[in-house]
């Protein structure tokens, strides 16, 4: 999104950037750029003699890519940028220069060390040499070396190498993008909030920010170009605004705003342990979505009555091989025991899509959201799937676990998944390992084909859970993490609402429960529709629970049913939003 310069002060002093609201709240602090010089910590590690050639090749590939990038930039520049073009051309030549290129290869070969470290050492030596040159023009060429080596280094390290867990001061992260693997390393005592150039409201990055209760803004477009390391920035996640080097008046205003936000939040939180009952006595169960066991505390503290969605893929990320059955079992058991007798809905592995495994090469796809993701991957890898299912069934002996399969698109997939579950139970029985085989089994409804097949699928499962994040993505053909189409990502699109209602009605007809665990359920303003449609249970990022409970207590179920009927008659999002806004005003009154 564009940057807007504001205030009477010179425009370089205060910059406002508008992005997409990721997670609410306000934080003020120093920026920490994740993929710029001095941020990525380069580690030294030895390379076995047999792999030195491969390491040299890795370096050559990174240099080749850097040259290609430069060539693309040059070809896109207008001719009157001739000075700029000649600098970039000199960078292309520099990247192949003996001093940099030749010496780095020599260092990898002679010292048998990784390419990143070799490059770092060589660049440091060149820099030291340049510093001693009396000619100021030649001395300034050091900047070119640094830019060229940065470009090569970025290609060598790739996004996966960002090491957020090494940050040792309290900062606000500024990054082009953060993968779920990166965000899963975030330590709350270090990271106050984060902003990214890419992503949207339903991207996993914002979901994690909401769960961690730290302000975040996504889809800023060019934040990493405008914000410098250690700049003071304000992140207003509730408005989707970043203010770079704020002036004193802005700082005072935002400190007050942060205080008000915290007070409001505390008031709502105080009531969160009480049940969510409408004014006419309908009680709605509110559950928490978690990615990590550590988030359980947040579910309990915010008044969650169980786990409606345990995203299990995070235990598979940030490591070098698949976790063992015992490792998984220990984690699931911990969650089940801590929450018993409340239910814990464990969703089986939903990797690939935007959560690819670095150690499984089979995951490179040009269109991962439509690729070998979730249940499709698990059915292709029964070894990985059965390991997880056995861990789930074993943990079920310690609490109230439900198993849920993601990304179901057909009856065959449900039947195949159930067969694997039965096989897992059989194997445990044979080995005399304590477990339960009668746990509830459900599926996520997040692909339109599954929604339309609801009547058939309902005969095979104990519950449905509607995943509105993906359902919206696949209904509307909108990539949920693409900021360019974020304005079209509309969970309140009439088609999405109609399909949700259809699934809920089928659930009622067939006598199975219908839950919702997509982000839509965490928006207090949407609650009259969800209650009115007749959902049995909703699950959300834990810190959203207090506000949603607060809203439910102000609603009448009877009136919500009539309201939902009216909403379902609308033909466009503008009218739906208008009706919701009117309803919101009534709730505040
Ligand atoms: C969903 O798609 O709505 C959902 C809850 O799953 P995830 O966000 O993990 O894809
Ligand atoms: Mg999903």
């Amino acid at each position: 999104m564009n940057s807007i310069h504001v205030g009477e002060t010179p425009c370089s002093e205060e910059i406002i950037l508008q992005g997409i609201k990721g997670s609410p709240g306000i934080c003020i602090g120093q920026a920490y750029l994740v993929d710029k010089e001095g941020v990525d910590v380069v580690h030294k590690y030895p390379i076995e003699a047999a792999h030195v050639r491969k390491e040299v090749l890795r370096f050559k590939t990174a240099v080749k890519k850097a040259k290609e990038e430069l060539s693309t930039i040059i070809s896109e520049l207008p001719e009157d940028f001739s000075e700029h073009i000649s600098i970039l051309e000199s960078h292309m030549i520099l990247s192949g220069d003996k001093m940099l290129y030749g010496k780095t290869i020599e260092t990898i070969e002679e010292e048998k060390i990784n390419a990143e470290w070799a490059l770092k050492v060589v660049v440091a030596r060149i820099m030291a040499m340049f510093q001693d040159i009396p000619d100021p023009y030649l001395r300034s060429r050091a900047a070119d070396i640094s830019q060229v080596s940065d470009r090569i280094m970025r290609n060598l390290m790739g996004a996966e190498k960002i090491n957020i867990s090494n940050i040792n001061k309290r900062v606000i992260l500024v990054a082009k993008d953060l993968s779920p693997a990166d965000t899963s390393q975030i330590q709350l005592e270090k990271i106050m909030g984060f902003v990214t150039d890419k992503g949207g409201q339903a991207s996993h990055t914002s979901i994690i920010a909401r769960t961690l209760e730290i302000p975040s803004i996504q889809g800023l477009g060019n934040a990493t170009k405008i914000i410098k390391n250690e700049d003071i920035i304000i992140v207003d996640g509730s408005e989707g605004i970043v203010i770079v080097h704020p002036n004193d008046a802005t700082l005072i205003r935002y400190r007050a705003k942060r205080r008000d936000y915290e007070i409001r939040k505390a008031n709502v939180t105080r009531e969160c342990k009480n049940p969510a009952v409408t004014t006419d006595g309908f009680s709605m169960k509110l559950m928490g979505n978690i990615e990590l066991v550590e988030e359980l505390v947040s579910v309990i503290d915010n008044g969650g009555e169980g786990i409606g969605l345990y995203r299990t893929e995070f235990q598979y990320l940030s490591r070098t091989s698949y976790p063992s059955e015992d490792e998984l079992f220990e984690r699931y058991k911990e969650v089940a025991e801590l929450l018993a007798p409340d239910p814990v809905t464990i969703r089986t592995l939903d990797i690939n899509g935007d959560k690819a495994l670095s150690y499984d090469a089979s995951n490179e796809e040009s269109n991962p959201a439509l690729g070998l993701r979730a249940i499709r991957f698990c059915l292709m890898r029964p070894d990985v799937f059965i390991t997880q299912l056995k861990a789930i069934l074993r943990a079920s002996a310690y609490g109230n676990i439900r198993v849920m399969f993601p990304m179901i698109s057909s009856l065959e997939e449900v039947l195949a998944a159930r067969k694997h579950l039965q096989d897992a139970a059989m194997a445990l029985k044979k080995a005399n390992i304590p477990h339960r085989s009668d746990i509830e089994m459900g599926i996520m409804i997040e692909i339109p084909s599954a929604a339309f097949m609801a009547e058939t699928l309902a005969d095979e499962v104990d519950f449905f859970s509607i995943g509105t994040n993906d359902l919206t993505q696949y209904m509307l053909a909108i990539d949920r993490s693409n900021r360019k189409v974020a304005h079209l990502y509309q969970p309140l699109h009439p088609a999405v609402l109609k399909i949700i209602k259809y699934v809920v009605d089928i659930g009622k007809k067939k006598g199975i429960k219908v839950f919702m665990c997509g982000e839509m359920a965490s928006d207090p303003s949407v609650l009259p529709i969800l209650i009115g449609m007749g959902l049995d249970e909703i699950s959300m990022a834990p810190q959203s629970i207090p506000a949603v409970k607060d809203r439910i207590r102000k609603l009448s179920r009877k009136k919500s049913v009539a309201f939902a009927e009216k909403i379902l008659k609308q033909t466009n999002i503008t009218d739906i939003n208008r009706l919701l806004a009117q309803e919101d005003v009534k709730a505040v009154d």
Side-chain angles (χ1 to χ4, degrees), residues 398-412:
Y398 298 85
N400 179 7
I401 288 182
R402 306 162 172 166
V403 64
M404 175 162 79
F405 302 120
M407 297 286 291
I408 292 290
S409 65
S410 67
L411 174 64
E412 289 83 347

Side-chain angles (χ1 to χ4, degrees), residues 204 311 347 350 373 406-407 444 446 467 469-471 474 480:
H204 282 108
R311 292 183 169 98
R347 180 179 75 181
D350 184 359
R373 183 186 156 181
M407 297 286 291
M444 288 199 64
E446 51 186 346
N469 306 339
D470 278 316
L471 188 59
Y474 298 122
R480 62 196 258 195

